[in-house]
Amino acid sequence: MLVTLASAAAALLASPRCPDAAPPDAATDETFMRIAIEEARQADFPYGAVIVRDGGILARGRNRSRQLDDPTAHGEMDAIRHALAQHGSKALRGATLYTSGEPRATCMGAILWCHFDRLVYAASIDQVVTRTSQMMVHSADVAAKTPFAPISITGGVLADEAKALFAK
């Protein structure tokens, strides 16, 4: 099931910062989510991410917490760090972050501070909580408390494929 959530300040599909942007379509979201899920397959924990702007991939990332002995090396953070190193922070404004699992509070904070226009995730926190330790704070809850960084949030894109990774 596809669930669309938006913070009150970003209820439109097109970003307030990009009013002429075409609304996202399901096929595009699935294409990029498949790439995020592929990153998750290679991760220490099944979180993979891809950052997209203007139809092109800026960066990919995967959870490398065990490999790096770094509890902040989540898939979203890995992708953000790669994008910042290669393109700088301005490139992230208006971009979309796709991730195999709903970001937890730490990653969601970073996503908001980077001023992404959209977040698209596959499996929700509720769907993966039995497999992983989770802070039970949903990304929409964090976004709702962050009026300076409006973001559109879409959840459930290829959720069954992502949930299968968490079941292993």
Side-chain angles (χ1 to χ4, degrees), residues 49-52 56-61 78-80 82-84 86-87:
V50 62
I51 297 172
V52 176
I57 295 174
L58 292 179
R60 299 172 186 223
D78 193 42
I80 289 170
H82 286 294
L84 290 171
Q86 295 170 1
H87 305 285

Side-chain angles (χ1 to χ4, degrees), residues 27-128:
T28 299
D29 283 349
E30 287 183 9
T31 296
F32 289 117
M33 186 58 73
R34 287 187 198 292
I35 297 168
I37 289 171
E38 185 54 40
E39 288 293 324
R41 284 189 178 97
Q42 302 170 54
D44 291 349
F45 229 40
Y47 283 90
V50 62
I51 297 172
V52 176
R53 183 177 178 118
D54 300 325
I57 295 174
L58 292 179
R60 299 172 186 223
R62 65 181 71 115
N63 183 296
R64 299 185 312 142
S65 295
R66 291 181 186 144
Q67 175 188 350
L68 299 176
D69 192 28
D70 177 354
T72 69
H74 295 184
E76 301 92 341
M77 298 297 289
D78 193 42
I80 289 170
R81 288 174 180 145
H82 286 294
L84 290 171
Q86 295 170 1
H87 305 285
S89 64
K90 289 184 181 178
L92 298 180
R93 289 182 176 267
T96 299
L97 188 141
Y98 293 85
T99 180
S100 58
E102 181 178 1
R104 297 173 231 180
T106 302
C107 291
M108 190 60 194
I111 290 164
L112 292 165
W113 279 110
C114 290
H115 295 278
F116 284 90
D117 272 356
R118 289 186 70 221
L119 164 65
V120 182
Y121 65 84
S124 71
I125 288 172
D126 294 329
Q127 292 170 318
V128 302

